[in-house]
Amino acid sequence: MSRVSGYPTSTFASSALLFFGSGLAATLLFSAKPLESLIGVAVACIGLSIMFWRWRQRSIASHLLQHGRVVEARITGVLAGGLFQVNGGAPYRVEAQWVEPATGEVRVFRSWTLWQDPSVFIKHEHVMVHTDPQRSDRYYMDVSFLPEFQQA
């Protein structure tokens, strides 16, 4: 699979949950404590599901890069903040809009989360977005023009 620029590649947390849960389950299975073993299996399943979700998102983005419809969306700004913070820092996202010529519908696109403000690196008014013609909710914003800094 080709590298998807701008895609969050860090899977440390999900890997840690998977290995911690698997180790806990294995240890406790042999100590005959079924409730604790079940907790270990649940933690491992959470880690595995996070890893699967990240793999699936990356797979969709890679497919859209190869087969998606490319549109040129106008960058409307950088969104700061979000639902979560890590080490006191909130994520950023590049936001862009595009008008569907056939229907006149305004579509809003947002990039993956970024951990440093990309505003100073945005030199153009437009960004390329790869969309799925069958599913309007699937798209990939190509932010390869940004330097490779820490991404979620």
Side-chain angles (χ1 to χ4, degrees), residues 3 9 23 25 47 51 57 64-65 72 75 110 122-123 145:
R3 183 174 185 319
T9 57
M51 290 177 74
Q57 293 300 318
L64 290 174
L65 276 171
E72 191 173 311
I75 296 174
R110 292 185 181 96
I122 298 175
K123 305 289 186 215
F145 60 90

Side-chain angles (χ1 to χ4, degrees), residues 90-149:
Y92 295 90
R93 297 175 86 179
V94 177
E95 185 177 72
Q97 290 183 356
W98 176 71
V99 178
E100 176 74 50
T103 63
E105 174 189 2
V106 176
R107 300 264 321 268
V108 177
F109 303 107
R110 292 185 181 96
S111 69
W112 305 113
T113 55
L114 307 165
W115 288 104
Q116 294 177 2
D117 188 356
S119 299
V120 296
F121 300 106
I122 298 175
K123 305 289 186 215
H124 305 288
E125 292 183 13
H126 294 85
V127 64
M128 302 309 258
V129 179
H130 302 261
T131 64
D132 187 336
Q134 277 75 42
R135 291 192 54 184
S136 63
D137 62 327
R138 283 191 181 172
Y139 62 88
Y140 169 72
M141 182 184 292
D142 185 3
V143 291
S144 59
F145 60 90
L146 296 174
E148 297 290 326
F149 48 68

Side-chain angles (χ1 to χ4, degrees), residues 11 14 27 33 46 49 57 110 124-125 146 152:
T11 56
S14 54
T27 302
K33 295 184 178 179
I46 290 169
S49 64
Q57 293 300 318
R110 292 185 181 96
H124 305 288
E125 292 183 13
L146 296 174

Side-chain angles (χ1 to χ4, degrees), residues 14-96:
S14 54
S15 300
L17 280 173
L18 176 64
F19 291 121
F20 173 75
S22 299
L24 182 63
T27 302
L28 295 174
L29 273 172
F30 294 111
S31 68
K33 295 184 178 179
L35 180 61
E36 289 86 354
S37 298
L38 188 60
I39 292 170
V41 169
V43 170
C45 287
I46 290 169
L48 190 60
S49 64
I50 292 170
M51 290 177 74
F52 175 76
W53 178 81
R54 285 181 174 259
W55 170 82
R56 179 75 177 132
Q57 293 300 318
R58 188 178 183 122
S59 175
I60 289 170
S62 180
H63 175 76
L64 290 174
L65 276 171
Q66 296 173 3
H67 306 290
R69 174 177 148 196
V70 180
V71 300
E72 191 173 311
R74 185 177 53 83
I75 296 174
T76 57
V78 174
L79 304 174
L83 297 176
F84 61 94
Q85 289 188 346
V86 175
N87 294 329
Y92 295 90
R93 297 175 86 179
V94 177
E95 185 177 72

